[in-house]
Amino acid sequence: MAVLASTTVSRDARGNPTGTRSALLDYSRLRLEQATLRRVLEASPMAVRVARLQDNRILFFNRAYCELVRRSEDDARDMDISTVYVDPNAFAEIRDRLRHGEMVLNRLVELYLPDRPEAPSVWALASYMTIEYDGQPSALAWL
C-alpha cells in the first residue's frame, strides 16, 4: 500500500512539545487513477501531446500524435514542437498566450515536416492549455 504520512506536533503555551498527531493517507488509488488516465490518453484517437513551455520539448505524446506529425515514437520523443509549425508566428502567438495563462481553443494550425519537404503539410484544429507535468510548466495540446 502506498501511503503518505503527515505528522503534527502539539505544543503547550511555552512552545514545548506535548504530543503528536499523525495521519496516514493511502494514495494507491490516486496512482491507479493516474495510470488509467495515461492509458486512456495513449489509446485516444485524438492526437495529444505535452511539451515543456521552457524549451518546447515533448514530455508526453500518443500514437495519434505520431501519426499526425508523421514521426516514429523514437523520433517524436523529446522533439522540439516548434519545428513542425509552418507559420512560426502562429506558434509564437500560441506559446505566448499559454505563458500568460490563457487557453487557446479551436485554433487552425498548419503542420509540416521541415526535414521532409516532399511530404504535404497537414491542417489540424488544435486546442491548448497550460498544465504542470512532472513538476514543470507545460502545454497540453489536443490536435
Side-chain angles (χ1 to χ4, degrees):
M1 171 167 64
V3 296
L4 175 64
S6 174
T7 304
T8 305
V9 176
S10 300
R11 298 183 183 276
D12 63 18
R14 293 187 303 214
N16 297 319
T18 59
T20 61
R21 240 185 345 203
S22 298
L24 297 177
L25 303 169
D26 176 5
Y27 67 94
S28 56
R29 174 109 178 130
L30 176 61
R31 282 192 170 176
L32 180 62
E33 289 174 4
Q34 287 174 329
T36 300
L37 178 58
R38 185 174 189 90
R39 284 192 305 274
V40 167
L41 290 175
E42 287 171 347
S44 173
M46 183 102 174
V48 179
R49 64 104 174 119
V50 176
R52 274 190 303 263
L53 284 175
Q54 177 184 8
D55 61 4
N56 307 317
R57 295 284 176 191
I58 288 186
L59 300 171
F60 171 86
F61 59 89
N62 66 1
R63 186 171 303 131
Y65 181 77
C66 290
E67 291 169 6
L68 178 68
V69 297
R70 290 172 255 152
R71 298 276 187 211
S72 69
E73 289 185 17
D74 286 338
D75 289 340
R77 193 168 283 107
D78 201 41
M79 181 176 84
D80 179 347
I81 56 156
S82 67
T83 63
V84 299
Y85 286 78
V86 170
D87 182 356
N89 293 325
F91 175 78
E93 179 190 335
I94 292 165
R95 184 195 60 225
D96 291 344
R97 288 182 60 190
L98 291 171
R99 286 182 176 168
H100 286 96
E102 297 178 46
M103 287 178 56
V104 178
L105 299 175
N106 300 321
R107 172 77 182 257
L108 193 59
V109 294
E110 187 178 10
L111 308 174
Y112 77 123
L113 303 173
D115 58 334
R116 298 180 200 159
E118 74 284 356
S121 63
V122 295
W123 289 90
L125 187 62
S127 293
Y128 307 85
M129 66 183 299
T130 303
I131 64 169
E132 186 172 305
Y133 189 88
D134 285 341
Q136 301 173 71
S138 302
L140 167 65
W142 298 86
L143 302 116

